[in-house]
Amino acid sequence: MPTKEKFYLTTPIYYTNGLPHIGHTYTTVVADVVRRFKRMRGYEVVMTTGTDEHGVNVERAAKKAGIAESEFVARMATEWRGLWNELGLNADEFIRTTDLKHVRTVQWLFKLCRENGYVYKDHYTGQYCIYDNAFVTDAKPGDNCPDCGRPTETVTEENYFFKLSAFQKPLLDFYRKNPTFIQPETRKNEIVSFVEGGLKDLSITRTTIRWGIPVPGEEPHVFYVWFDALTAYLSAVGGPEFERRGMWPADLHLVGKDIIRFHTVYWPAFLMAAMLPVPKQVWAHGWFLMDASKMSKSKGNVILPRPIANMLGMDALRYFLLREIVFGQDGNFSYDALVTRYNSDLANGLGNLASRTAAMIDKSFAGKIPKPAALAPQDVALAKETQSTIGEVLERYENMEFARALETIWGVIAAADKYLTSEQPWALSDGQADTERKAAILWTTAEILRIVTALAHPVLPDSTGKVWSLLGQPGAVSGIELDGLRWGQLVSGVQLGKAQALFPRVDKAEAIERIEAMANEEQNPQPAPAAAHAVATSASSGAAAAPAVSEKIGIEDFAKVEMRVGQIKTAERIVGADKLLKLTVDIGTEIRQICAGIAQYYEPEALIGRKVAVVTNLAPRKLRGVESNGMIIAASVGPEGRPVLAGFHEDVEVGARLK
Ligand code: MSP
């Protein structure tokens, strides 16, 4: 069997002094889309992401948190990795710059550069902040420290320098011979003029920073962050033994435009100096802006991915990020545009086409995909049109024109909608001729849906999986070979799978309010009773609400908790929160809205009229963006903590106090 062609791609490794926002999510989503797309084109793909854990900012953050740097970064790396997993963005390799294999790779790269004569020791003079113990990059004598605002001092320290100046010509030659190395073209021009302007040697070690990778035998020298960070791409796929893994050089480094110089000037120069293969391409995309300025934690204008994924699903966020701005350019982020696109393109577009096609096949052909006896000219025309878009979409993906790829796919969805509207299969009778016509129309529509599903899969992995099983097609949608995708491969005679909710329509104002509330909750977490608000438990999971078992409380403490008999009046599921039910509960004096984490164990209808124990004097708070004013008591049973509602064996009056 021929071995597959390899494709190695990376995201930047992200700083651990913050948590992922939509900007980081954007790069990682794009990497994941490219990974899925390349796999569907038959490549063996490895995608790396990770965390950049050294440097003075981490030293400071750890000090502020009162913990060791190693512990601080371990916690942050767990958070980053955890969130990527939660969002379905788990890479094949997650590299941390504190991993031993990375430390060894950095030291090895340095050794190679030094042996080849590109490293020398000299003095570095720069502006230093004695309060923050750090050099301030690009500062001139007299400038203040941008962090603390106090005056900097001119300080000289001994450093190792990298002879970047020796690489002006090799780099320019390299750019010329590899015209697609820097993408997009506009960025390439910027970099070429920067290098043509002359390159200064670069200090690659520091003695003023403690938290870094030591230069062997040269302590207290540690490596400068970028020499350390860039090398992570190589450490992740074998480091000094990269040949064994066969993934290096990287085929694609995806980065934001903020860090293009490091990737297209320093990084190839370090590798050239070490006589190692240079990556094939660096793609610098634009920024997602908030009100025309870059998102940053300090400005307090960051958009978080989790609340959006909770409310609309991760596929919706992926679709929006790729559809909304042209890859390479900047664009604004707005919840309004996000929800508008969700409703129009996903709920009314793909979701609606899938559900109405399935419903019609269900009704007219007992849920089996029909086989057409003959096709009408309009069916053939649509088939041709759809077939021709396949190649177009693949090319757009290949050129990183994601917005246009999606636009083309959605053009096919619109054509299918138009076709249904003009053919009106629902108006046809059950007579033989009409049934045959219906078979042709519904087969054609289902075939369009199959092709659209395959083409959209890299962007919408979850929902296309659902459509695929709805169509009852063999295998998994991710297993389709896009290069073999052709009109006419729909398998007929198969039974449709179970219909699943794809993109339920949402009310824009309500959805935005809930996303914002969830983001607020995440950014300003309230301490207790947090998770226990939805359901209080008598035993295991009451940790947040109840003191430790050994710690006794007085009756006066218990008396502070007001509990009453409540009766559930209404119960409904909450879109985007599969564990929660929204209840209205009569507590005698008023009707309260309460959210309870019981949706996986109780059907909403079965709860109506049920009498429950309610904590009525808890401060109201929002759960998944929905106001919850009180708490229903339940036992937590078994290892997964299955909630079992507390109740009464005798009839009790609504509003009666529990004592
Ligand atoms: N640690 C360095 C990268 C080292 S790579 C060897 C770093 N980390 S970072 O956490 O600041 O991440 C920067 C990257 O996050 C950007 O290059 C970009 O990929 C992504 N983004 C951060 N904010 C962004 C936006 N507002 N919009 C789009 N992408 C942005 O730099």
Side-chain angles (χ1 to χ4, degrees):
M1 232 174 75
T3 48
K4 288 182 171 182
E5 201 174 328
K6 68 97 186 168
F7 193 86
Y8 177 41
L9 82 159
T10 65
T11 74
I13 52 162
Y14 302 107
Y15 288 132
T16 43
N17 50 343
L19 285 171
H21 59 59
I22 216 77
H24 310 112
T25 311
Y26 181 48
T27 316
T28 312
V29 161
V30 171
D32 186 62
V33 169
V34 174
R35 162 169 65 165
R36 291 175 194 270
F37 173 70
K38 288 284 177 184
R39 284 202 176 130
M40 291 176 88
R41 286 205 104 166
Y43 288 80
E44 185 190 340
V45 188
V46 169
M47 167 183 159
T48 288
T49 190
T51 39
D52 190 352
E53 304 184 357
H54 289 123
V56 75
N57 287 333
V58 170
E59 271 180 27
R60 282 184 205 149
K63 198 165 160 202
K64 205 166 148 203
I67 52 177
E69 287 93 350
S70 55
E71 192 183 334
F72 178 82
V73 293
R75 284 187 196 175
M76 294 302 278
T78 306
E79 293 271 355
W80 277 82
R81 203 198 294 248
L83 184 63
W84 291 147
N85 287 349
E86 190 184 322
L87 300 179
L89 293 168
N90 27 337
D92 307 293
E93 294 292 338
F94 188 94
I95 187 82
R96 299 180 51 194
T97 54
T98 49
D99 286 342
L100 192 58
K101 66 177 181 186
H102 173 71
V103 170
R104 291 207 176 116
T105 307
V106 172
Q107 293 173 339
W108 167 75
L109 184 71
F110 177 75
K111 189 167 154 271
L112 293 180
C113 293
R114 195 178 189 181
E115 281 168 3
N116 293 340
Y118 293 108
V119 169
Y120 63 95
K121 216 177 206 178
D122 203 347
H123 288 92
Y124 172 81
T125 301
Q127 293 310 114
Y128 190 79
C129 173
I130 54 162
Y131 303 97
D132 290 335
N133 293 320
F135 277 102
V136 178
T137 336
D138 296 333
K140 297 180 300 305
D143 283 355
N144 289 340
C145 168
D147 283 333
C148 69
R150 287 178 273 206
T152 57
E153 290 177 12
T154 307
V155 168
T156 297
E157 71 164 8
E158 194 176 53
N159 283 171
Y160 279 99
F161 278 76
F162 176 79
K163 273 195 203 164
L164 188 63
S165 54
F167 289 90
Q168 183 186 30
K169 188 164 177 315
L171 282 171
L172 290 171
D173 286 347
F174 175 73
Y175 302 149
R176 209 169 306 119
K177 282 191 205 128
N178 299 277
T180 55
F181 174 65
I182 307 171
Q183 290 293 319
E185 206 60 24
T186 44
R187 302 267 166 240
K188 178 175 150 186
N189 302 338
E190 259 170 56
I191 295 297
V192 169
S193 8
F194 171 74
V195 176
E196 279 171 347
L199 295 173
K200 277 204 269 173
D201 288 352
L202 190 71
S203 141
I204 54 166
T205 70
R206 295 281 187 273
T207 51
T208 43
I209 299 174
R210 220 174 23 80
W211 182 241
I213 297 179
V215 183
E218 304 287 348
E219 293 83 358
H221 282 271
V222 298
F223 289 101
Y224 163 60
V225 281
W226 282 98
F227 192 85
D228 169 347
L230 290 159
T231 310
Y233 300 138
L234 184 53
S235 324
V237 288
E241 287 87 43
F242 68 90
E243 276 166 336
R244 218 181 298 157
R245 178 91 182 257
M247 278 292 156
W248 194 259
D251 295 271
L252 175 64
H253 289 316
L254 276 167
V255 299
K257 63 179 186 180
D258 45 335
I259 55 176
I260 188 165
R261 196 179 289 180
F262 301 105
H263 284 77
T264 55
V265 182
Y266 297 4
W267 183 222
F270 296 157
L271 291 165
M272 285 175 184
M275 301 218 265
L276 292 170
V278 173
K280 297 199 183 138
Q281 190 168 71
V282 177
W283 232 108
H285 63 69
W287 284 341
F288 262 105
L289 306 170
M290 267 312 273
D291 306 321
S293 75
K294 196 184 173 211
M295 275 175 225
S296 82
K297 212 169 65 171
S298 53
K299 283 192 218 139
N301 63 353
V302 293
I303 300 285
L304 300 176
R306 191 189 267 128
I308 298 172
N310 284 342
M311 180 66 215
L312 302 174
M314 191 55 199
D315 276 10
L317 176 57
R318 294 168 68 103
Y319 177 81
F320 178 74
L321 293 177
L322 293 185
R323 180 71 184 80
E324 191 64 9
I325 63 173
V326 171
F327 192 63
Q329 293 177 11
D330 290 350
N332 257 312
F333 188 93
S334 98
Y335 286 135
D336 197 286
L338 166 75
V339 181
T340 303
R341 275 221 182 272
Y342 171 86
N343 276 335
S344 67
D345 298 11
L346 298 177
N348 291 352
L350 178 61
N352 185 41
L353 180 66
S355 60
R356 70 205 273 234
T357 306
M360 287 186 283
I361 294 178
D362 220 21
K363 183 160 173 272
S364 304
F365 298 97
K368 275 203 179 128
I369 299 202
K371 208 178 173 69
L375 295 172
Q378 63 272 33
D379 310 342
V380 178
L382 191 56
K384 277 204 185 125
E385 193 184 318
T386 309
Q387 170 68 43
S388 74
T389 58
I390 298 177
E392 199 181 314
V393 171
L394 298 195
E395 199 182 318
R396 299 216 185 286
Y397 271 125
E398 201 58 68
N399 296 336
M400 314 282 271
E401 295 171 301
F402 305 108
R404 294 188 71 189
L406 293 172
E407 201 184 335
T408 310
I409 300 172
W410 260 255
V412 177
I413 295 177
D417 281 338
K418 207 167 136 212
Y419 170 75
L420 282 176
T421 310
S422 70
E423 296 303 311
Q424 305 206 344
W426 50 85
L428 295 170
S429 76
D430 289 334
Q432 199 192 334
D434 270 9
T435 303
E436 276 178 16
R437 182 67 203 126
K438 249 190 281 184
I441 299 168
L442 294 179
W443 184 89
T444 303
T445 317
E447 175 57 340
I448 291 183
L449 193 56
R450 184 188 70 90
I451 288 178
V452 158
T453 303
L455 292 175
H457 179 69
V459 180
L460 304 175
D462 190 40
S463 35
T464 51
K466 288 182 186 162
V467 179
W468 197 254
S469 43
L470 176 67
L471 287 174
Q473 296 300 293
V477 59
S478 57
I480 293 174
E481 279 188 24
L482 284 177
D483 293 278
L485 184 67
R486 301 270 181 287
W487 180 267
Q489 294 161 329
L490 178 74
V491 180
S492 46
V494 293
Q495 191 71 36
L496 292 183
K498 208 174 139 241
Q500 303 176 55
L502 280 175
F503 303 107
R505 257 193 86 83
V506 295
D507 174 81
K508 194 200 277 181
E510 195 189 322
I512 295 177
E513 195 195 321
R514 286 197 23 218
I515 295 172
E516 282 175 341
M518 284 188 259
N520 188 30
E521 257 176 63
E522 195 172 320
Q523 270 159 336
N524 311 298
Q526 289 180 16
H533 203 264
V535 170
T537 56
S538 60
S540 61
S541 74
V549 180
S550 56
E551 208 182 294
K552 304 270 193 266
I553 60 164
I555 187 77
E556 64 291 350
D557 288 323
F558 179 71
K560 287 183 195 154
V561 182
E562 187 185 286
M563 280 189 277
R564 293 189 181 274
V565 175
Q567 186 169 37
I568 299 176
K569 293 288 170 196
T570 64
E572 57 181 282
R573 296 191 185 278
I574 300 177
V575 179
D578 46 1
K579 295 200 177 107
L580 286 184
L581 287 185
K582 184 163 85 176
L583 311 171
T584 49
V585 183
D586 183 354
I587 57 162
T589 47
E590 60 183 302
I591 308 268
R592 291 277 187 89
Q593 175 170 297
I594 301 178
C595 294
I598 55 175
Q600 287 167 321
Y601 302 94
Y602 288 90
E603 284 302 324
E605 309 75 56
L607 290 170
I608 315 287
R610 185 156 172 166
K611 288 190 176 161
V612 287
V614 184
V615 179
T616 49
N617 64 339
L618 265 184
R621 62 178 309 241
K622 286 193 166 177
L623 291 163
R624 290 292 169 90
V626 180
E627 168 113 0
S628 182
N629 191 0
M631 178 167 76
I632 312 282
I633 304 287
S636 171
V637 177
E640 334 74 271
R642 177 169 66 89
V644 176
L645 291 174
F648 307 94
H649 284 300
E650 285 171 46
D651 196 24
V652 281
E653 193 189 333
V654 170
R657 179 120 196 231
L658 273 70
K659 297 185 180 175

